Amino acid sequence: MVEVIPTGTTVKLARSMSKLEKGFKTGIFGGSAIPVKAKVLGELVQVGRVVRQVMPCLGTDGELVATDAADVNLGDQVVVQAASARQKGKQTNRRAVGTEVARIAKLDLGDGALVLDAIESRAKVTRLKSGKLKRSASAKVGAITAGGGDAQSLEELDGLEIPGLLKIETGLRKKIKDGIRMIGLRITLLDGTGAVIDLATSKMTIADR
């Protein structure tokens, strides 16, 4: 375990896991919902007690699986409140459908310089028995305020930079093999640490069995 003092992050190294599954009908599920993750010193790390929910290979048998985490403080510059992840996956002999959702109740940047409520990303994939794949992903923010009260739109937020503090990118959608990924909000810290923080990341894949 390595602690990065400037950002208060902890890096866990050398973790592995394996598992055998059977019972696939239409596809093999994959994906995850991660409310907060950060890249520090060139490595992708988990920050604090942040949720990382991974989709089982067989899905969840149609059940909604939820995981929640406590608040996360990234060096007093970025404060995340009530991070959560939701996932659901089901397959029949005709189709497989999977959804991943990552949410953050509130994000405070620069001690109130910019406050965002209800950040969410969603990724959904459907694979038909014929092999056809359908992908969709979305990102949204419920409310955005700057400097204690000035309203902002999601479009205005994209590309926003607070000199010496951070810059922001929104709605980073990427088509990946057998699925799709959506990053709701990306923050790059400009304080010299080189940290990149991704908020509300949802990824969903369904491979042909």
Side-chain angles (χ1 to χ4, degrees):
M1 182 177 292
V2 179
E3 184 177 355
V4 183
I5 295 176
T7 57
T9 61
T10 299
V11 185
K12 295 182 179 180
L13 304 175
R15 180 183 178 185
S16 64
M17 181 178 69
S18 65
K19 186 178 181 181
L20 295 176
E21 299 277 9
K22 63 180 181 179
F24 299 103
K25 299 177 181 178
T26 315
I28 302 172
F29 287 85
S32 59
I34 308 175
V36 185
K37 63 180 179 179
K39 185 179 292 184
V40 182
L41 304 179
E43 295 293 333
L44 191 65
V45 302
Q46 293 187 45
V47 183
R49 295 176 58 194
V50 181
V51 177
R52 185 179 187 274
Q53 192 174 56
V54 178
M55 176 71 74
C57 295
L58 289 171
T60 66
D61 197 25
E63 294 185 10
L64 180 65
V65 179
T67 310
D68 301 294
D71 298 350
V72 180
N73 189 318
L74 306 181
D76 295 320
Q77 296 186 36
V78 182
V79 179
V80 176
Q81 296 182 6
S84 65
R86 303 287 185 269
Q87 64 181 190
K88 185 177 182 180
K90 184 176 182 178
Q91 59 178 304
T92 66
N93 291 326
R94 298 181 60 186
R95 69 176 60 194
V97 182
T99 303
E100 293 279 2
V101 180
R103 293 175 179 154
I104 294 170
K106 185 176 182 179
L107 173 67
D108 188 332
L109 305 176
D111 194 22
L114 191 64
V115 178
L116 293 81
D117 293 317
I119 304 169
E120 177 183 295
S121 73
R122 180 182 299 265
K124 181 179 180 180
V125 174
T126 300
R127 181 176 286 279
L128 303 179
K129 183 178 180 180
S130 64
K132 183 178 181 180
L133 195 71
K134 298 181 180 179
R135 304 172 171 93
S136 64
S138 62
K140 63 181 181 180
V141 177
I144 306 167
T145 55
D150 296 332
Q152 301 274 344
S153 68
L154 189 60
E155 291 76 17
E156 291 174 317
L157 189 63
D158 191 41
L160 176 67
E161 182 173 325
I162 301 177
L165 183 60
L166 52 85
K167 65 178 180 179
I168 296 173
E169 299 171 85
T170 65
L172 301 175
R173 182 197 316 259
K174 183 177 181 179
K175 182 179 177 182
I176 59 178
K177 180 176 173 57
D178 298 317
I180 195 165
R181 183 187 70 197
M182 171 64 80
I183 300 173
L185 198 74
R186 171 170 286 171
I187 300 172
T188 302
L189 297 184
L190 305 177
D191 59 356
T193 63
V196 177
I197 304 165
D198 288 341
L199 302 167
T201 299
S202 299
K203 181 176 73 172
M204 187 67 223
T205 66
I206 303 179
D208 194 343
R209 67 182 181 87

